[in-house]
Structure formats: structure tokens, C-alpha cells
Amino acid sequence: MKKLFLTTVFILGVFSVQAQDKLNKNAKYEIEVNGNCDMCQSRIQKAAFSVSGVKSATWNTETHKLNLILNEEKATIQDVKKAVAKAGYDTDEVKATEESYNKLPGCCQYERK
């Protein structure tokens, strides 16, 4: 009976360890975000930082890449993409609404794909 109990506890322990998803507190991501200028850079980074859990957000005006460090326990990369799209900028997966895009200043209205 003691062996059966210990075996059961061991098996349950193995399954519980496998079931736990360890989320990264310093996950690094690079996503594409359309934009044109330094004003875009400021708006994109501000939108990214509006998401709880974003530790670092740097958008490059030449490469159109947003480099992020994200605490996955607090937010997902999808949360960041939605926030950036809400600010008027298309990401690789989430597109800005026509309304939010049209609110951008003229110099920030990039060519949409």
C-alpha cells in the first residue's frame, strides 16, 4: 500500500511539473511595425510602454523593427501588437483601424499594404 501511495504521489508530481508553463520575465521579441519618422517612433514606443509588462521598447525608423523586452507573466506579445495598432500603426499581425490610421499626422501616414 505504501508503494502504491508513493508511486501515485510521484506520478502526480511529474504531471504537475509538466503542466506548469514557465513564463519568461525578460522575453525578447522583434516585430515589424509600419511607420515613417521620429514622431512615429515616439508614438509606437509610447503605445508599447502603455502595456503593463513591457520593460523595453525601441523602434528603428530605418528597419521598421520594434525590439521589445516583455514580462510574459504580465502581458503577451499580442497585447503589445494591439496597443500599437490602436495608436494607428500596422504590425505584422494586427492592423490599425482606418479611423486610428487617419488620426495620424500627415508625415506619419505610411503606405499601407
Side-chain angles (χ1 to χ4, degrees):
M1 185 70 173
K2 188 176 178 181
K3 278 187 172 183
L4 178 63
F5 176 75
L6 290 175
T7 304
T8 304
V9 170
F10 175 76
I11 290 172
L12 290 175
V14 169
F15 283 120
S16 68
V17 168
Q18 288 178 350
Q20 291 178 357
D21 234 354
K22 293 196 178 201
L23 298 174
N24 192 343
K25 291 185 179 182
N26 291 306
K28 294 181 181 181
Y29 291 96
E30 182 179 84
I31 61 173
E32 187 166 336
V33 180
N34 293 327
N36 293 328
C37 61
D38 290 339
M39 283 177 50
C40 294
Q41 181 182 47
S42 176
R43 282 186 169 87
I44 291 167
Q45 291 174 180
K46 183 178 178 180
F49 277 118
S50 74
V51 177
S52 176
V54 173
K55 295 182 175 184
S56 174
T58 307
W59 184 74
N60 186 301
T61 55
E62 293 177 17
T63 63
H64 296 176
K65 300 287 183 184
L66 176 62
N67 291 297
L68 297 164
I69 297 177
L70 176 67
N71 180 344
E72 292 178 322
E73 291 180 350
K74 295 183 178 181
T76 66
I77 190 65
Q78 203 65 19
D79 295 332
V80 177
K81 290 178 180 185
K82 288 177 184 177
V84 170
K86 186 176 180 181
Y89 297 93
D90 293 341
T91 70
D92 51 358
E93 292 180 347
V94 182
K95 305 300 179 201
T97 64
E98 201 65 36
E99 180 182 357
S100 61
Y101 172 79
N102 289 333
K103 288 182 183 177
L104 294 174
C107 65
C108 293
Q109 291 187 352
Y110 50 90
E111 186 177 324
R112 296 185 91 177
K113 298 175 184 174

